[in-house]
Amino acid sequence: MDIHCLANQHKGNAMLNKIIGFMFYLVITSAYAFQPPTIYLAPGLTYDRIRNEAGTVVFQGLEPRVAVGIGDFKVGMFYFALEGFVNPIKPMSINNRGIQQGDEILTFQTSTNYGGSLLFGWHLDDIVKIYSRFGAAYTRFKDFGKRKCGAQLGLGIEAIISGPWSFRLDYTRTFYRRFSDLSEEPFSDVDTPFNDSGTFSVLFYFG
């Protein structure tokens, strides 16, 4: 074997060692950046403003909300979480506008509301993170006796208070399916409801 072959073999071994070393570096840094998920509990208070497109049927109310999630699935500055929620009691009415039927006014007041979401977020620093929400809700509209599914899109911000405690401010819009079976007067204006909701929550992370 001449000196040129030995030189080429040495260069090849050196390049292979560099590649293996770089791959080892990526594995170590990725493992360091990834943090295992934790379970959290998030009781909160939600303001709902549910209305139709014409604005002729409106319900505004406050209701407690309890969410349970698993997150932060964190890689670097980014994370995602899975979350389920339920509004356990009927909301307290603030301001309503609806359809007159006899002595009653029919609004979009709800009696049950639950769903789930996928959260994608970004850690701004060690204290604050922002996120987007993609989910679905299943709601019963008390006055109309209807249950409707809705797609949810939202934005939020979360900040650490101390240790496992943090708080969160969340805006979500829920797009419900059309009330297609309410086409006769005086219900023809009911149309497709949507909900603009804001939630303040306090979170506790276990583990």
Side-chain angles (χ1 to χ4, degrees), residues 114-129:
Y114 55 89
S117 300
L118 179 62
L119 278 59
F120 290 97
W122 178 38
H123 286 260
L124 299 179
D125 51 37
D126 293 335
I127 303 296
V128 180
K129 55 186 176 184

Side-chain angles (χ1 to χ4, degrees), residues 126-127 158-168 200-203:
D126 293 335
I127 303 296
E158 182 179 334
I160 295 175
I161 301 173
S162 177
W165 296 94
S166 65
F167 74 89
R168 190 162 73 184
F200 173 79
S201 304
V202 176
L203 287 78

Side-chain angles (χ1 to χ4, degrees), residues 37-88:
T38 56
I39 296 174
Y40 62 86
L41 178 67
L45 184 66
T46 297
Y47 164 79
D48 290 318
R49 187 173 188 270
I50 310 174
R51 66 185 185 92
N52 60 345
E53 294 178 356
T56 55
V57 184
V58 180
F59 172 78
Q60 297 181 64
L62 290 173
E63 57 183 337
R65 171 170 294 189
V66 179
V68 177
I70 179 168
D72 277 315
F73 293 91
K74 182 181 177 183
V75 179
M77 297 298 290
F78 299 95
Y79 79 97
F80 68 93
L82 298 171
E83 184 176 294
F85 75 89
V86 62
N87 298 79

Side-chain angles (χ1 to χ4, degrees), residues 19-189:
I19 293 174
I20 293 174
F22 182 67
M23 292 176 66
F24 182 75
Y25 169 79
L26 288 179
V27 170
I28 294 298
T29 54
S30 297
Y32 176 77
F34 179 79
Q35 294 183 1
T38 56
I39 296 174
Y40 62 86
L41 178 67
L45 184 66
T46 297
Y47 164 79
D48 290 318
R49 187 173 188 270
I50 310 174
R51 66 185 185 92
N52 60 345
E53 294 178 356
T56 55
V57 184
V58 180
F59 172 78
Q60 297 181 64
L62 290 173
E63 57 183 337
R65 171 170 294 189
V66 179
V68 177
I70 179 168
D72 277 315
F73 293 91
K74 182 181 177 183
V75 179
M77 297 298 290
F78 299 95
Y79 79 97
F80 68 93
L82 298 171
E83 184 176 294
F85 75 89
V86 62
N87 298 79
I89 64 174
K90 185 177 72 173
M92 179 183 68
S93 176
I94 298 176
N95 186 26
N96 294 324
R97 183 166 62 248
I99 297 173
Q100 189 76 38
Q101 188 181 50
D103 296 332
E104 295 183 308
I105 297 178
L106 306 183
T107 72
F108 286 133
Q109 184 170 13
T110 62
S111 58
T112 56
N113 187 25
Y114 55 89
S117 300
L118 179 62
L119 278 59
F120 290 97
W122 178 38
H123 286 260
L124 299 179
D125 51 37
D126 293 335
I127 303 296
V128 180
K129 55 186 176 184
I130 56 176
Y131 60 88
S132 57
R133 178 186 297 276
F134 305 90
Y138 187 66
T139 305
R140 183 180 185 273
F141 294 94
K142 170 180 170 290
D143 292 353
F144 295 100
K146 302 293 181 182
R147 300 178 185 271
K148 292 293 179 180
C149 293
Q152 291 188 320
L153 296 175
L155 296 171
I157 183 170
E158 182 179 334
I160 295 175
I161 301 173
S162 177
W165 296 94
S166 65
F167 74 89
R168 190 162 73 184
L169 295 172
D170 189 295
Y171 163 77
T172 303
R173 170 167 281 198
T174 305
F175 302 87
Y176 289 103
R177 296 182 62 184
R178 182 184 178 90
F179 279 51
S180 57
D181 52 344
L182 296 178
S183 58
E184 299 179 358
E185 294 291 345
F187 304 112
S188 57
D189 287 339

